[in-house]
Amino acid sequence: MLLVLNSCKDKKNEKDADQTMENQEVEMVEEEMEMNINTDSLATEIDNKQEMIESNLGDPVEMSTENLREKTKQKWKKIHFYTKDGQVVRVKTYPYEDISKRTEEFYFDNGSLMLAVIEDDGSEEADNEKKADKIYYFYNGEPIKEVNNSKREKEYNLKDSDAEELQQEAMEYLDLYSNREE
């Protein structure tokens, strides 16, 4: 009887070990796939999608921030939502004039954030020569690349950057749009 129990324990331990090895192999393959992502190529693809959105912008749906939560209300005077085929493709936030000139733009692909653009002086008319102060690229819900042209603020890596907060903010704006009163 003792021999049978030990034999069963050994088989269970072998199964557990096999499962652990299989899980580790899957994790290694997933890590390799993540490492093989060419962020520059993805960023170029996202830039092209942004240009398509910009070239087909219609009139925005404007939302005042006076009835929003305090953090949003204190930071932004109004928010513009741009849609295509019923989906939000771009959101732009505008500050109170006496507080700041900073604007934030969010670009979406099928409801997923793909790009966030920060301009310290977004009050100027856009021209092709002007570069954004900060650009954050997202892929599959994760920040993948950051371009920081700002002379004011330095960020040292994606984990220390504003990318995660911007992503949360973008999702909040999508919720605001879908729950708005028409």
Side-chain angles (χ1 to χ4, degrees):
M1 178 89 163
L2 191 55
L3 183 59
V4 171
L5 287 175
N6 281 339
S7 176
C8 287
K9 280 185 184 177
D10 289 344
K11 287 186 181 190
K12 184 180 182 320
N13 288 341
E14 280 180 37
K15 247 186 189 176
D16 289 346
D18 287 346
Q19 186 65 42
T20 300
M21 283 181 55
E22 188 176 310
N23 290 344
Q24 288 173 340
E25 288 174 5
V26 168
E27 288 174 10
M28 286 174 57
V29 168
E30 289 173 352
E31 286 175 18
E32 285 177 27
M33 287 173 61
E34 287 177 10
M35 290 187 323
N36 288 333
I37 291 175
N38 184 334
T39 56
D40 291 332
S41 172
L42 280 172
T44 300
E45 191 177 313
I46 290 168
D47 287 337
N48 291 337
K49 287 180 181 181
Q50 178 199 20
E51 285 178 29
M52 290 283 292
I53 290 170
E54 288 291 335
S55 68
N56 294 310
L57 279 182
D59 294 328
V61 172
E62 184 173 314
M63 182 181 289
S64 167
T65 61
E66 79 181 31
N67 295 324
L68 301 180
R69 70 184 179 99
E70 275 310 306
K71 183 176 180 183
T72 305
K73 182 176 18 178
Q74 289 173 358
K75 193 173 179 183
W76 307 117
K77 179 179 182 179
K78 64 183 175 181
I79 304 171
H80 282 173
F81 296 88
Y82 297 84
T83 61
K84 182 177 180 184
D85 301 327
Q87 285 200 333
V88 174
V89 293
R90 179 179 183 240
V91 174
K92 185 166 183 177
T93 59
Y94 296 89
Y96 293 94
E97 293 171 17
D98 53 340
I99 294 176
S100 173
K101 293 182 180 182
R102 175 184 169 135
T103 60
E104 295 178 356
E105 296 174 53
F106 301 90
Y107 294 85
F108 300 89
D109 186 23
N110 294 318
S112 181
L113 180 64
M114 65 176 184
L115 186 67
V117 178
I118 310 296
E119 292 184 8
D120 290 334
D121 189 356
S123 63
E124 296 177 10
E125 284 297 314
D127 63 19
N128 292 337
E129 299 299 313
K130 186 176 186 308
K131 292 202 180 231
D133 295 293
K134 293 182 184 177
I135 304 170
Y136 300 87
Y137 293 88
F138 298 85
Y139 179 72
N140 286 340
E142 296 293 326
I144 58 165
K145 182 177 180 178
E146 176 188 322
V147 177
N148 187 345
N149 299 314
S150 177
K151 292 171 180 56
R152 295 185 199 177
E153 300 175 32
K154 293 294 177 202
E155 294 175 350
Y156 299 98
N157 64 48
L158 282 173
K159 290 294 182 196
D160 294 334
S161 77
D162 293 328
E164 289 178 13
E165 184 177 341
L166 288 168
Q167 190 168 22
Q168 290 172 346
E169 198 174 323
M171 295 303 110
E172 180 181 346
Y173 296 144
L174 288 182
D175 284 345
L176 287 172
Y177 183 81
S178 61
N179 294 324
R180 77 193 186 290
E181 294 179 20
E182 294 183 49

